[in-house]
Amino acid sequence: LSRLVLGSLFRSIAADVAAVAPDGARVLEVGCGPGHLSIRLARQHGLDVTGLDLDPAMIERARANVDRSVDGDERRPSFLVGDVAALPFPDESFDLVVSTMSMHHWADPTAGMAEIDRVLRPGASALIWDFRPGFQPFHGDLPDPVEHTHGAPLRVVGATPWQWPWRFNLTQRIELIRAGD
């Protein structure tokens, strides 16, 4: 279902990520769910992708999805269970961190932002897509995701509406960089 509903959204997000990421970049996708974006970034754009999700069932599904879609020498993303508030990676491990539609689920967004900052290399950035303020149908009245960046070490470079397929403006794209960079 997620592939059907979110397929064209992930296609446009993957193109945006590929345009921002350095060639062969090491990318962390936080809240990867069943892995569709991670698989697309690795296979179609040649990025070294690690997908992370708090839910072991999602990681199991992501691993099955990558195995199901195996095609020769194509890059394969790796997947592991983990929490954005306690990332299991050394400092300065990634060229880019990406998150789509998961920030509103994070138990501690400030800790998550600090961890993302910690694992980003100098000069690296994070791209986060999440629901715009006031979006109510599925999750109640959500705050502006940019508010979760206040007090975090990452600096917001931009927050712009991101158009879904069918011209819905339900989400926004937030770009952040390391504050010291």
Side-chain angles (χ1 to χ4, degrees):
L1 181 61
S2 67
R3 192 173 28 232
L4 176 66
V5 173
L6 300 175
S8 55
L9 176 67
F10 286 153
R11 191 172 18 264
S12 63
I13 288 174
D16 186 38
V17 169
V20 171
D23 288 342
R26 186 152 188 240
V27 178
L28 171 63
E29 183 188 6
V30 173
C32 67
H36 300 302
L37 180 61
S38 290
I39 293 166
R40 184 179 297 271
L41 290 171
R43 297 257 166 87
Q44 295 177 1
H45 298 285
L47 300 173
D48 178 7
V49 182
T50 300
L52 177 121
D53 202 284
L54 191 58
D55 184 353
M58 283 292 118
I59 293 302
E60 214 173 285
R61 186 170 299 149
R63 289 176 180 153
N65 285 337
V66 79
D67 288 342
R68 185 177 312 115
S69 63
V70 83
D71 186 21
D73 297 344
E74 290 182 327
R75 280 191 183 250
R76 295 173 56 96
S78 60
F79 295 101
L80 67 134
V81 175
D83 186 350
V84 67
L87 294 173
F89 307 105
D91 294 356
E92 301 180 358
S93 297
F94 294 95
D95 300 301
L96 182 65
V97 174
V98 175
S99 179
T100 57
M101 313 313 285
S102 75
M103 185 185 217
H104 62 277
H105 293 293
W106 299 357
D108 187 348
T110 302
M113 298 303 281
E115 279 292 278
I116 288 171
D117 178 73
R118 182 184 65 76
V119 301
L120 283 171
R121 292 185 174 131
S125 60
L127 298 174
I128 298 175
W129 286 264
D130 212 330
F131 292 112
R132 294 177 66 195
F135 181 71
Q136 296 182 3
F138 303 113
H139 297 289
D141 189 20
L142 295 174
D144 186 342
V146 175
E147 290 177 18
H148 294 307
T149 66
H150 299 308
L154 294 166
R155 184 170 51 91
V156 175
V157 174
T160 56
W162 188 265
Q163 198 169 64
W164 278 50
W166 315 293
R167 302 200 185 280
F168 292 124
N169 283 321
L170 305 175
T171 59
Q172 66 181 343
R173 174 192 186 265
I174 304 166
E175 183 173 0
L176 307 113
I177 62 169
R178 292 183 57 166
D181 299 332

